[in-house]
Each structure stands twice: as structure tokens, then as C-alpha cells.
Amino acid sequence: MLLTEVREILDAEVLCGVDRLNMEVLSACGSDFMSDVLAFVKNQALLLTGLVNPQVVRTAEMMDMKCIVFVRGKRPTDEMLTLADEYGMVVLATKKPMYLSCGELYLHGLRGPGA
């Protein structure tokens, strides 16, 4: 799924990386616990989270993720956006809750681990 499709499905605002929306992601995960992302996530290209701190961007970069979607109307800081841009990531923000966001992406064909 292209990140342009993710943006449309989630009615998300592009906060960083508008020029990279043509990237494709094949899987996603949702978590507010970066320790779980580090321990259990393998080969996921998109992270959905409501946690807003710079560690989210650093964790996503360590896991080679291409995109972070902040859910529940959460907004990253300018510092986080600068860091994400340096890493070549796309950052989106949606007002939708995590459960609904993950479900809608799954229904449109974006799978998670073991799916």
C-alpha cells in the first residue's frame, strides 16, 4: 500500500515527508510501548502510536520503518519532525483512535505480523 493511500484511509495530515508519499509499505503495527516495538516487531514499515516523544522516532529508525502515524489527534514536536526528516521518514497525524486506524488499514489490505 502506498503512503498516499494510508493518508487517505486515515484522513491524516502530512507533517513530514510529503515528497515521500509514493513509498510503499507492506505491513504495519500499532503500539504505545516502544519496548514492545523493539522486542516483537519485525519487518514492519509503518508504526501507529499515540506516544509523543523523540524515542518514537529513534525506535522507528532503528527498526527501519518508513512512516509513523500519530493517532488520537496527537502531534509530534518540531524536534521530532526534524529528526524524522533527517531519517527520511514520513510522519502523519490522524484524529482517529488507534483501534480504528489499525482496523481500517487492515481492511484495506495492510497486514501486520503473522497476518
Side-chain angles (χ1 to χ4, degrees), residues 15-17 20 34 47 49-61 68-71 74-92:
L15 303 178
C16 173
R20 295 182 286 271
M34 294 304 103
L47 172 64
T49 188
L51 182 64
V52 179
N53 70 44
Q55 194 60 31
V56 170
V57 179
R58 291 186 183 97
T59 300
E61 192 275 331
I68 302 169
V69 178
F70 289 95
V71 296
K74 300 293 182 94
R75 304 287 294 199
T77 64
D78 289 339
E79 174 191 359
M80 293 171 65
L81 292 174
T82 299
L83 190 59
D85 194 44
E86 289 174 10
Y87 292 148
M89 291 180 192
V90 173
V91 178
L92 305 175

Side-chain angles (χ1 to χ4, degrees), residues 1 3 5 10 13-14 19 22 26 36-37 39 43 48 50-51 58 63-64 68 95 97 99 101 105 110 114:
M1 175 179 294
L3 292 177
E5 296 172 275
L10 298 180
E13 179 183 352
V14 181
D19 58 324
N22 61 344
L26 301 176
D36 283 353
V37 173
N43 301 318
L48 295 104
L51 182 64
R58 291 186 183 97
M63 303 305 290
D64 294 323
I68 302 169
K95 293 182 180 180
Y99 183 77
S101 297
L105 292 174
L110 190 61

